[in-house]
Amino acid sequence: MLGVSSVPATISPSAPLLPDGTRDVLPDEWSQREYVRWSLSELFRAWGYQGVELPALEYASAAHPLDSRAFKLIDTGGQVLALRSEFTTALGRLVATRYPAGPFPLRLQYGGQLWLRAQTSELGRLREFTQVGAELIGVATVQSDIELLALARAALDRVGVKADLEVGFPGFVDAVLEDAGLSGAARDALHDAIDRKSGADIDLAATTYGLSSEVTGVLHRLTDLYGGNEVLDEAGRMAQGTRARAAVSHLRAVAQGGDLTLLFDLGVSRRYGYYTGMTFRAYVDGLNQPVLGGGRYQLANGLPGAGFAMGLERLVRALPPGLPPHPETVLALDLPALHAAQQAGLRAELAWTDNRLELKTYSALRGIRRWVQGRELTEVQA
Amino acid sequence: MSSQPERSANHLTLALPKGRILEDAISLLSRAGLPITMPEASRALRHEFPGVTVLELRNQDVPVYVDLGVADAGIVGKDVLIESGRAVYEPVDLRFAPCHLSLIREVGASGPIHRVGTKYPHVARQYLAEKGIPAEIVKLNGNIELATLTGLADAVIDLVQTGGTLRANNLQEVDVLFYSSARLIVNRAALKLRRERLRPLIARLRELVREES
């Protein structure tokens, strides 16, 4: 067989070098990651979002939304610690303790690694991953929702990632279910079926809970509420009660005020108990995966907040080719040449020996085409 | 990053299970207006049609390809979908390949269940936990019924289509976990990004299923 080694690969019985779901980042990818991180933090700063760092170690708490999937450690005093598994909860703690009196709105940005002991399904899926994000805390207005959507759009544009922004409103599904007279287990089962757009499971729940054909028809229509602005008109026709109508008119105001091209999916109902307003995600064409997700929630101390996080690993995969730009690397034969080359915008490595043959071999291996010498940046034979 | 050829923005990639379902799936999709036909018997695993690529996969792999976005949509049994635990949309029950997943024992068996053999370990674990049965689960890959007959397990959780195999082996269904049939599944991002193609396809499939049942 062509290209296949005839020597069988041996599977070493010793322990693997790295724990499952962790990996090394090598220079090419590192420079892409740094470029994305730096571009986004600069952008967020330009919009007035101040940076904070949060500890990677937290006290474990059953109230934490990802508690069951977080890595746990035992502290010297016997307390159970958890490795940070998402940023919003930690940021809520920071706001409650460091900024109890504001001033609000408070605009904060963060970035760093997160860890999950159990990923949903994939063996070998990363269990250590990186997010950057921004949160706007203390206000819950149409303008603040628009700001976050506009910031999300600007962030995607800044790193050249072509993506569609889609807005949902889990409370709308809940309100429609409430208006249909559903509660308890039936409402929970239907939230799940609607979020999966599973017509079959809606019918199954309709049989189990004895729902009228009229109610069942409404539930099926919820699964078709995705697309452009026309979705809001259809949702407006479906909205009966105050909550449902308020949700639609809020989204209308966001859509009209923002001058943004948005998609809507009013059948989204994942974590409807957590999100108190709109949710949004960005889908990259070609990747078929979201690269950004966020929404409006309430902090433990009752303050309203909203924000979004972007997955660095996925963003790097969606980065257009040629980013970040790579200046040429040259070999500087002396220190003045190193400084001169750097001032000229080049990257320069300093020669460590006078042995030209050794430098030649190294340059070939590193793909270095030019050597420079002296204060005046004289090119010499490589 | 990928070896896929350049495609138009509206190109659809479908994940279909090889074997019996494939023929039904292709026939239904072509009646729904997709320009696809049953591929000639060959070793090719990827079939190109105008604007549509069909990937021929093991049925357990269909939810994986769709969830991870390599395929935009696929067709797979609800049993396989539930076992996979994948968060995909499942907008249409296509009604073919009907079957149910059942807890099966030898006729007359009434002792406690200590060990359960199954191809569906995730479903089995959840079911046994809900029923409070502290049984061990053994993952098997075929001829599951043999596990009870040989004493490897006290019960099995497996698919039942006609019940013929059960009767021939002196087995009976003790409980039905759920009913299954083929489902159209769709990647969450693809449904939105390719909605101009997928929304009419979904609508047409729903009509066809309604007409034919």
Side-chain angles (χ1 to χ4, degrees):
Chain A
M1 289 196 295
L2 280 176
V4 176
S5 161
S6 58
V7 183
T10 49
I11 295 175
S12 160
S14 61
L17 288 169
L18 288 173
D20 276 350
T22 67
R23 68 196 185 105
D24 297 323
V25 172
L26 298 182
D28 283 347
E29 188 187 352
W30 181 90
S31 68
Q32 291 181 310
R33 290 165 66 93
E34 278 303 301
Y35 169 75
V36 170
R37 258 195 293 237
W38 181 84
S39 305
L40 294 178
S41 68
E42 282 295 296
L43 173 81
F44 293 156
R45 195 146 50 184
W47 284 60
Y49 287 74
Q50 307 177 73
V52 290
E53 286 195 25
L54 295 152
L57 285 174
E58 304 171 340
Y59 283 116
S61 154
H64 192 284
L66 292 173
D67 181 56
S68 63
R69 291 164 61 196
F71 273 98
K72 306 285 165 50
L73 305 93
I74 308 294
D75 202 359
T76 47
Q79 303 93 330
V80 182
L81 303 179
L83 276 182
R84 185 175 63 207
S85 55
E86 54 115 41
F87 277 106
T88 313
T89 309
L91 204 76
R93 192 240 348 120
L94 178 141
V95 170
T97 52
R98 305 289 175 180
Y99 298 93
F104 300 113
L106 185 60
R107 291 181 173 86
L108 295 175
Q109 63 160 309
Y110 54 81
Q113 274 146 309
L114 300 170
W115 294 268
L116 284 178
R117 181 177 47 80
Q119 274 290 19
T120 39
S121 45
E122 219 67 44
L123 264 180
R125 203 155 181 165
L126 288 183
R127 300 197 295 170
E128 178 179 61
F129 51 98
T130 311
Q131 284 184 353
V132 298
E135 310 284 328
L136 174 50
I137 289 160
V139 287
T141 56
V142 168
Q143 289 94 323
S144 56
D145 279 3
I146 291 173
E147 170 173 338
L148 284 166
L149 291 170
L151 183 60
R153 169 53 69 204
L156 293 163
D157 288 348
R158 171 61 65 94
V159 292
V161 171
K162 281 202 169 68
D164 287 352
L165 267 181
E166 181 189 75
V167 176
F169 205 104
F172 176 77
V173 174
D174 195 59
V176 170
L177 293 175
E178 186 184 23
D179 294 342
L182 293 157
S183 58
R187 210 198 279 194
D188 288 344
L190 284 161
H191 265 294
D192 178 53
I194 289 164
D195 190 60
R196 288 183 290 109
K197 303 199 187 299
S198 175
D201 287 352
I202 289 174
D203 288 337
L204 192 66
T207 314
T208 311
Y209 300 106
L211 307 183
S212 72
S213 63
E214 191 193 340
V215 167
T216 313
V218 169
L219 303 180
H220 279 292
R221 278 165 67 198
L222 278 175
T223 68
D224 271 334
L225 282 183
Y226 59 91
N229 279 324
E230 72 280 0
V231 168
L232 297 181
D233 300 333
E234 173 69 9
R237 285 190 286 276
M238 286 181 66
Q240 306 277 325
T242 349
R243 273 177 74 207
R245 284 209 302 271
V248 176
S249 61
H250 181 87
L251 289 179
R252 256 194 234 285
V254 169
Q256 282 159 8
D259 192 28
L260 294 160
T261 308
L262 297 173
L263 297 178
F264 293 92
D265 184 349
L266 291 196
V268 167
S269 94
R270 202 179 67 94
R271 298 182 72 193
Y272 66 94
Y274 175 79
Y275 288 112
T276 55
M278 72 160 186
T279 59
F280 55 102
R281 343 187 83 190
Y283 299 115
V284 181
D285 201 5
L287 199 59
N288 271 355
Q289 298 278 334
V291 288
L292 175 155
R296 176 162 293 289
Y297 51 85
Q298 194 163 42
L299 294 178
N301 62 359
L303 269 181
F308 62 87
M310 304 172 84
L312 189 64
E313 285 76 18
R314 283 187 183 168
L315 274 179
V316 163
R317 279 185 64 194
L319 214 56
L323 281 182
H326 272 287
E328 182 188 350
T329 299
V330 297
L331 188 73
L333 298 182
D334 49 39
L335 264 175
L338 182 92
H339 297 312
Q342 287 168 344
Q343 265 163 19
L346 300 171
R347 290 178 187 165
E349 293 186 18
L350 187 60
W352 67 96
T353 171
D354 293 328
N355 183 335
R356 293 285 170 122
L357 189 63
E358 208 178 315
L359 293 175
K360 208 163 205 158
T361 313
Y362 174 77
S363 298
L365 286 171
R366 282 280 285 121
I368 291 176
R369 287 177 290 107
R370 290 201 290 172
W371 292 0
V372 294
Q373 191 166 30
R375 211 175 296 277
E376 291 303 314
L377 203 61
T378 325
E379 243 181 88
V380 296
Q381 181 73 41
Chain B
M1 184 183 73
S2 133
S3 61
Q4 298 212 350
E6 278 297 308
R7 282 169 180 156
S8 73
N10 254 336
H11 193 94
L12 271 191
T13 300
L14 301 177
L16 301 180
K18 54 172 80 180
R20 274 169 312 167
I21 285 193
L22 184 66
E23 223 164 306
D24 287 340
I26 288 197
S27 140
L28 188 65
L29 290 168
S30 74
R31 272 177 289 146
L34 291 188
I36 62 175
T37 52
M38 192 64 191
E40 304 275 319
S42 77
R43 291 207 192 171
L45 304 170
R46 184 155 77 179
H47 311 288
E48 300 289 346
F49 301 97
V52 183
T53 300
V54 169
L55 307 176
E56 211 177 317
L57 304 168
R58 280 282 295 271
N59 60 1
Q60 292 92 332
D61 296 338
V62 170
V64 182
Y65 274 72
V66 174
D67 182 27
L68 297 185
V70 174
D72 302 304
I75 290 181
V76 73
K78 176 74 170 173
D79 55 318
V80 175
L81 183 58
I82 291 185
E83 176 66 21
S84 78
R86 297 279 171 176
V88 293
Y89 291 133
E90 34 167 320
V92 192
D93 180 354
L94 302 170
R95 309 266 176 96
F96 64 86
C99 55
H100 47 280
L101 199 69
S102 292
L103 181 71
I104 298 161
R105 306 195 72 178
E106 270 191 281
V107 172
S110 61
I113 299 176
H114 293 300
R115 197 189 274 169
V116 174
T118 186
K119 256 197 266 193
Y120 301 84
H122 292 111
V123 170
R125 192 193 308 169
Q126 196 182 347
Y127 171 78
L128 294 171
E130 274 166 20
K131 295 282 169 183
I133 303 172
E136 182 187 338
I137 294 162
V138 191
K139 163 89 164 79
L140 299 170
N141 296 297
N143 294 345
I144 310 300
E145 296 80 6
L146 263 182
T148 41
L149 300 174
T150 56
L152 177 73
D154 312 297
V156 298
I157 289 176
D158 200 21
L159 278 191
V160 180
Q161 277 162 333
T162 61
T165 311
L166 299 188
R167 284 187 293 278
N169 287 291
N170 193 37
L171 296 168
Q172 64 178 5
E173 291 176 66
V174 183
D175 195 6
V176 176
L177 279 65
F178 58 80
Y179 290 86
S180 172
S181 54
R183 303 290 158 90
L184 176 78
I185 61 172
V186 183
N187 175 274
R188 286 184 171 239
L191 181 67
K192 316 303 172 54
L193 296 170
R194 310 231 189 303
R195 63 190 181 287
E196 272 101 30
R197 286 202 78 179
L198 286 167
R199 195 199 274 277
L201 178 67
I202 289 167
R204 186 77 192 103
L205 285 172
R206 281 184 184 146
E207 276 170 38
L208 281 171
V209 168
R210 210 172 303 135
E211 285 164 17
E212 289 171 15
S213 62

Short mmCIF file of all heavy atoms in Angstrom, two decimals, chain A residues 9-31:
data_model
loop_
_atom_site.label_atom_id
_atom_site.label_comp_id
_atom_site.label_asym_id
_atom_site.label_seq_id
_atom_site.Cartn_x
_atom_site.Cartn_y
_atom_site.Cartn_z
N ALA A 9 2.68 0.41 13.90
CA ALA A 9 2.82 1.36 14.99
C ALA A 9 2.64 0.62 16.31
O ALA A 9 1.79 -0.25 16.42
CB ALA A 9 1.78 2.45 14.86
N THR A 10 3.45 0.96 17.28
CA THR A 10 3.27 0.32 18.57
C THR A 10 2.46 1.24 19.46
O THR A 10 2.65 2.45 19.45
CB THR A 10 4.62 0.04 19.24
OG1 THR A 10 5.39 1.24 19.20
CG2 THR A 10 5.36 -1.07 18.56
N ILE A 11 1.52 0.68 20.17
CA ILE A 11 0.76 1.47 21.12
C ILE A 11 1.42 1.29 22.47
O ILE A 11 1.49 0.19 23.01
CB ILE A 11 -0.71 1.02 21.14
CG1 ILE A 11 -1.34 1.31 19.78
CG2 ILE A 11 -1.46 1.72 22.25
CD1 ILE A 11 -2.73 0.83 19.62
N SER A 12 1.97 2.37 22.94
CA SER A 12 2.74 2.28 24.17
C SER A 12 1.83 1.97 25.36
O SER A 12 0.77 2.58 25.50
CB SER A 12 3.46 3.60 24.41
OG SER A 12 3.83 3.70 25.75
N PRO A 13 2.22 1.03 26.21
CA PRO A 13 1.39 0.71 27.36
C PRO A 13 1.52 1.76 28.48
O PRO A 13 0.72 1.79 29.39
CB PRO A 13 1.94 -0.63 27.83
CG PRO A 13 3.36 -0.64 27.37
CD PRO A 13 3.43 0.22 26.14
N SER A 14 2.53 2.63 28.36
CA SER A 14 2.72 3.59 29.44
C SER A 14 1.64 4.67 29.37
O SER A 14 0.91 4.79 28.40
CB SER A 14 4.09 4.24 29.33
OG SER A 14 4.19 4.91 28.11
N ALA A 15 1.55 5.47 30.42
CA ALA A 15 0.52 6.50 30.49
C ALA A 15 0.69 7.50 29.35
O ALA A 15 1.81 7.78 28.94
CB ALA A 15 0.61 7.21 31.83
N PRO A 16 -0.42 8.05 28.81
CA PRO A 16 -0.28 9.06 27.77
C PRO A 16 0.40 10.30 28.34
O PRO A 16 0.41 10.53 29.54
CB PRO A 16 -1.73 9.37 27.38
CG PRO A 16 -2.56 8.88 28.50
CD PRO A 16 -1.81 7.78 29.16
N LEU A 17 0.99 11.11 27.43
CA LEU A 17 1.75 12.28 27.88
C LEU A 17 0.86 13.38 28.42
O LEU A 17 1.26 14.15 29.27
CB LEU A 17 2.58 12.81 26.72
CG LEU A 17 3.77 11.94 26.33
CD1 LEU A 17 4.36 12.41 25.02
CD2 LEU A 17 4.81 11.95 27.44
N LEU A 18 -0.35 13.48 27.88
CA LEU A 18 -1.26 14.56 28.30
C LEU A 18 -2.61 13.96 28.67
O LEU A 18 -3.05 13.00 28.04
CB LEU A 18 -1.46 15.55 27.15
CG LEU A 18 -0.28 16.46 26.80
CD1 LEU A 18 -0.60 17.24 25.54
CD2 LEU A 18 0.02 17.39 27.95
N PRO A 19 -3.28 14.55 29.65
CA PRO A 19 -4.64 14.07 29.97
C PRO A 19 -5.56 14.25 28.77
O PRO A 19 -5.38 15.17 27.97
CB PRO A 19 -5.07 14.98 31.13
CG PRO A 19 -3.82 15.58 31.67
CD PRO A 19 -2.84 15.63 30.54
N ASP A 20 -6.58 13.40 28.68
CA ASP A 20 -7.58 13.51 27.61
C ASP A 20 -8.12 14.92 27.53
O ASP A 20 -8.42 15.54 28.56
CB ASP A 20 -8.77 12.58 27.91
CG ASP A 20 -8.48 11.18 27.45
OD1 ASP A 20 -7.47 10.99 26.75
OD2 ASP A 20 -9.26 10.29 27.81
N GLY A 21 -8.29 15.40 26.32
CA GLY A 21 -8.96 16.68 26.15
C GLY A 21 -8.08 17.88 26.44
O GLY A 21 -8.58 19.00 26.57
N THR A 22 -6.77 17.68 26.56
CA THR A 22 -5.84 18.80 26.68
C THR A 22 -4.83 18.69 25.56
O THR A 22 -4.66 17.62 24.99
CB THR A 22 -5.08 18.79 28.02
OG1 THR A 22 -4.19 17.67 28.03
CG2 THR A 22 -6.02 18.72 29.19
N ARG A 23 -4.19 19.77 25.21
CA ARG A 23 -3.24 19.69 24.11
C ARG A 23 -2.26 20.85 24.18
O ARG A 23 -2.50 21.85 24.86
CB ARG A 23 -3.97 19.71 22.77
CG ARG A 23 -4.62 21.03 22.52
CD ARG A 23 -5.65 21.00 21.44
NE ARG A 23 -6.08 22.37 21.26
CZ ARG A 23 -5.72 23.14 20.23
NH1 ARG A 23 -5.00 22.65 19.25
NH2 ARG A 23 -6.09 24.39 20.16
N ASP A 24 -1.15 20.71 23.45
CA ASP A 24 -0.19 21.79 23.31
C ASP A 24 -0.63 22.69 22.17
O ASP A 24 -1.20 22.23 21.19
CB ASP A 24 1.20 21.23 22.96
CG ASP A 24 1.74 20.33 24.07
OD1 ASP A 24 1.51 20.64 25.24
OD2 ASP A 24 2.40 19.33 23.74
N VAL A 25 -0.32 23.98 22.30
CA VAL A 25 -0.53 24.92 21.20
C VAL A 25 0.83 25.28 20.64
O VAL A 25 1.69 25.76 21.38
CB VAL A 25 -1.28 26.18 21.68
CG1 VAL A 25 -1.32 27.23 20.59
CG2 VAL A 25 -2.69 25.83 22.13
N LEU A 26 1.06 25.05 19.35
CA LEU A 26 2.37 25.30 18.73
C LEU A 26 2.38 26.69 18.07
O LEU A 26 1.33 27.32 17.92
CB LEU A 26 2.68 24.18 17.74
CG LEU A 26 2.78 22.81 18.43
CD1 LEU A 26 3.13 21.72 17.43
CD2 LEU A 26 3.76 22.82 19.59
N PRO A 27 3.57 27.20 17.70
CA PRO A 27 3.69 28.62 17.33
C PRO A 27 2.71 29.15 16.29
O PRO A 27 2.18 30.25 16.46
CB PRO A 27 5.13 28.73 16.84
CG PRO A 27 5.85 27.72 17.65
CD PRO A 27 4.89 26.56 17.78
N ASP A 28 2.44 28.42 15.20
CA ASP A 28 1.53 28.97 14.18
C ASP A 28 0.16 29.26 14.77
O ASP A 28 -0.43 30.32 14.57
CB ASP A 28 1.40 28.01 12.99
CG ASP A 28 2.62 28.08 12.10
OD1 ASP A 28 3.42 29.02 12.28
OD2 ASP A 28 2.78 27.18 11.24
N GLU A 29 -0.35 28.27 15.51
CA GLU A 29 -1.67 28.45 16.11
C GLU A 29 -1.61 29.49 17.23
O GLU A 29 -2.54 30.28 17.41
CB GLU A 29 -2.21 27.12 16.63
CG GLU A 29 -3.65 27.23 17.08
CD GLU A 29 -4.17 25.98 17.77
OE1 GLU A 29 -3.44 24.96 17.78
OE2 GLU A 29 -5.28 26.04 18.32
N TRP A 30 -0.51 29.48 17.97
CA TRP A 30 -0.36 30.45 19.06
C TRP A 30 -0.48 31.87 18.52
O TRP A 30 -1.15 32.71 19.11
CB TRP A 30 1.00 30.24 19.75
CG TRP A 30 1.23 31.18 20.89
CD1 TRP A 30 0.90 30.98 22.20
CD2 TRP A 30 1.84 32.49 20.83
NE1 TRP A 30 1.26 32.08 22.95
CE2 TRP A 30 1.83 33.01 22.15
CE3 TRP A 30 2.38 33.25 19.80
CZ2 TRP A 30 2.36 34.27 22.45
CZ3 TRP A 30 2.90 34.51 20.10
CH2 TRP A 30 2.89 35.00 21.41
N SER A 31 0.14 32.12 17.36
CA SER A 31 0.09 33.49 16.86
C SER A 31 -1.32 33.85 16.40
O SER A 31 -1.77 34.98 16.54
CB SER A 31 1.12 33.71 15.75
OG SER A 31 0.77 32.97 14.62
#
